[in-house]
Amino acid sequence: QVQLVESGGGLVQAGGSLRLSCAASGSIESIHAMGWFRQAPGKQRELVAHTSSGGSTNYADSVKGRFTISRDNAKNTGYLQMNALKPEDTAVYYCTADVTIVKSDSERARYFDVWGQGTLVTVSP
């Protein structure tokens, strides 16, 4: 199967930076789209950033100009660089991906909407 594991969360002061990583493990053949969502306490999960298989990106208006999504296909890893963090960025951040895995020499399987377990980002005033 396939797993996504996020890392890089933590406590940072407002104005600081963090880089989140999302590592995919398993018999990965390719990662297509990848995205980052977040969920703050008492709020719904929201899309933060997304990158398509073709490399196009889009961002929530609240993070445009501050966050950058990227990926290293050779490492099966995605990243979210977060700069100029604000207290309102405090949330659990989740990565999600659309992945093709190798099941055998002749069989592939595509998994849509694979999710990681989340990593907590806390931004203090």
Side-chain angles (χ1 to χ4, degrees), residues 7 11-12 17 19-21 32-34 39-40 43 60 73 83-84 120:
S7 60
L11 174 64
V12 64
S17 298
R19 189 176 82 153
L20 304 183
S21 298
H32 309 287
M34 179 174 274
Q39 187 166 20
K43 295 189 177 181
N73 291 327
N83 298 328
L120 176 64

CSV table of all heavy atoms in Angstrom, one decimal, residues 7 11-12 17 19-21 32-34 39-40 43 60 73 83-84 120:
chain,number,residue,atom,x,y,z
A,7,SER,N,6.0,15.8,8.4
A,7,SER,CA,6.9,16.2,9.4
A,7,SER,C,7.2,17.7,9.2
A,7,SER,O,6.9,18.3,8.2
A,7,SER,CB,8.2,15.3,9.4
A,7,SER,OG,8.8,15.5,8.1
A,11,LEU,N,6.3,24.7,17.0
A,11,LEU,CA,5.9,26.0,17.6
A,11,LEU,C,6.9,27.0,17.0
A,11,LEU,O,8.1,26.9,17.0
A,11,LEU,CB,6.0,25.9,19.1
A,11,LEU,CG,5.8,27.3,19.8
A,11,LEU,CD1,4.4,27.8,19.6
A,11,LEU,CD2,6.1,27.1,21.3
A,12,VAL,N,6.3,28.1,16.5
A,12,VAL,CA,7.1,29.2,15.9
A,12,VAL,C,6.5,30.5,16.3
A,12,VAL,O,5.2,30.6,16.4
A,12,VAL,CB,7.3,29.0,14.4
A,12,VAL,CG1,5.9,29.1,13.7
A,12,VAL,CG2,8.3,30.0,13.8
A,17,SER,N,9.3,31.0,10.1
A,17,SER,CA,9.1,30.1,9.0
A,17,SER,C,9.2,28.7,9.4
A,17,SER,O,9.8,28.4,10.4
A,17,SER,CB,10.2,30.4,7.9
A,17,SER,OG,10.1,31.7,7.4
A,19,ARG,N,9.1,24.6,7.4
A,19,ARG,CA,9.0,23.8,6.1
A,19,ARG,C,8.4,22.5,6.5
A,19,ARG,O,9.1,21.7,7.2
A,19,ARG,CB,10.3,23.7,5.4
A,19,ARG,CG,10.1,23.0,4.0
A,19,ARG,CD,11.3,23.0,3.2
A,19,ARG,NE,12.1,21.8,3.5
A,19,ARG,CZ,13.0,21.2,2.6
A,19,ARG,NH1,13.1,21.6,1.4
A,19,ARG,NH2,13.7,20.2,3.0
A,20,LEU,N,7.3,22.2,6.0
A,20,LEU,CA,6.7,20.9,6.2
A,20,LEU,C,7.1,19.9,5.1
A,20,LEU,O,7.2,20.3,3.9
A,20,LEU,CB,5.1,21.0,6.2
A,20,LEU,CG,4.5,21.9,7.2
A,20,LEU,CD1,3.0,21.9,7.2
A,20,LEU,CD2,5.1,21.7,8.6
A,21,SER,N,7.2,18.7,5.4
A,21,SER,CA,7.6,17.6,4.4
A,21,SER,C,6.5,16.6,4.4
A,21,SER,O,5.8,16.3,5.5
A,21,SER,CB,8.9,17.0,4.7
A,21,SER,OG,9.9,17.9,4.7
A,32,HIS,N,1.0,11.9,-8.6
A,32,HIS,CA,0.3,12.8,-9.5
A,32,HIS,C,0.1,14.1,-8.8
A,32,HIS,O,1.0,14.8,-8.5
A,32,HIS,CB,-1.0,12.1,-10.1
A,32,HIS,CG,-0.7,10.8,-10.6
A,32,HIS,ND1,-0.1,10.5,-11.8
A,32,HIS,CD2,-1.0,9.5,-10.1
A,32,HIS,CE1,0.1,9.2,-12.0
A,32,HIS,NE2,-0.5,8.6,-11.0
A,33,ALA,N,-1.1,14.4,-8.5
A,33,ALA,CA,-1.4,15.7,-7.7
A,33,ALA,C,-1.0,15.5,-6.3
A,33,ALA,O,-1.0,14.4,-5.7
A,33,ALA,CB,-2.8,16.0,-7.9
A,34,MET,N,-0.7,16.6,-5.7
A,34,MET,CA,-0.4,16.6,-4.2
A,34,MET,C,-0.9,17.9,-3.6
A,34,MET,O,-0.9,19.0,-4.3
A,34,MET,CB,1.1,16.5,-4.0
A,34,MET,CG,1.5,16.5,-2.5
A,34,MET,SD,3.3,16.2,-2.3
A,34,MET,CE,3.3,14.4,-2.3
A,39,GLN,N,-6.5,22.2,9.3
A,39,GLN,CA,-7.7,22.3,10.1
A,39,GLN,C,-7.4,22.9,11.4
A,39,GLN,O,-6.6,22.3,12.2
A,39,GLN,CB,-8.3,20.9,10.3
A,39,GLN,CG,-9.7,20.9,11.0
A,39,GLN,CD,-10.5,19.6,10.8
A,39,GLN,OE1,-9.9,18.5,10.6
A,39,GLN,NE2,-11.8,19.7,11.0
A,40,ALA,N,-8.0,24.0,11.7
A,40,ALA,CA,-7.8,24.7,12.9
A,40,ALA,C,-8.9,24.3,13.9
A,40,ALA,O,-9.9,23.8,13.5
A,40,ALA,CB,-7.9,26.2,12.7
A,43,LYS,N,-12.8,24.5,13.4
A,43,LYS,CA,-13.0,24.9,12.0
A,43,LYS,C,-13.0,23.7,11.0
A,43,LYS,O,-12.5,22.7,11.4
A,43,LYS,CB,-12.0,26.0,11.6
A,43,LYS,CG,-12.1,27.3,12.3
A,43,LYS,CD,-11.2,28.3,11.7
A,43,LYS,CE,-11.4,29.7,12.4
A,43,LYS,NZ,-10.5,30.7,11.8
A,60,ALA,N,-4.6,29.0,-1.4
A,60,ALA,CA,-5.7,29.7,-0.7
A,60,ALA,C,-5.3,31.2,-0.7
A,60,ALA,O,-4.1,31.5,-0.5
A,60,ALA,CB,-5.9,29.2,0.7
A,73,ASN,N,10.2,14.7,-7.0
A,73,ASN,CA,9.7,13.4,-7.4
A,73,ASN,C,10.6,12.2,-7.2
A,73,ASN,O,10.2,11.1,-7.0
A,73,ASN,CB,9.3,13.5,-8.9
A,73,ASN,CG,8.1,14.4,-9.1
A,73,ASN,OD1,7.2,14.5,-8.3
A,73,ASN,ND2,8.1,15.1,-10.3
A,83,ASN,N,6.3,30.9,5.2
A,83,ASN,CA,7.0,32.1,5.6
A,83,ASN,C,6.0,33.1,6.2
A,83,ASN,O,4.8,33.0,5.9
A,83,ASN,CB,7.8,32.7,4.5
A,83,ASN,CG,8.9,31.8,3.9
A,83,ASN,OD1,9.4,31.0,4.6
A,83,ASN,ND2,9.1,31.9,2.6
A,84,ALA,N,6.6,34.0,6.9
A,84,ALA,CA,5.7,35.1,7.5
A,84,ALA,C,4.5,34.6,8.2
A,84,ALA,O,3.4,35.0,8.0
A,84,ALA,CB,5.4,36.1,6.4
A,120,LEU,N,1.2,19.2,13.5
A,120,LEU,CA,0.6,20.4,14.2
A,120,LEU,C,1.6,21.6,14.0
A,120,LEU,O,2.8,21.5,14.3
A,120,LEU,CB,0.4,20.2,15.7
A,120,LEU,CG,-0.1,21.4,16.5
A,120,LEU,CD1,-1.4,21.8,16.0
A,120,LEU,CD2,-0.1,21.0,18.0
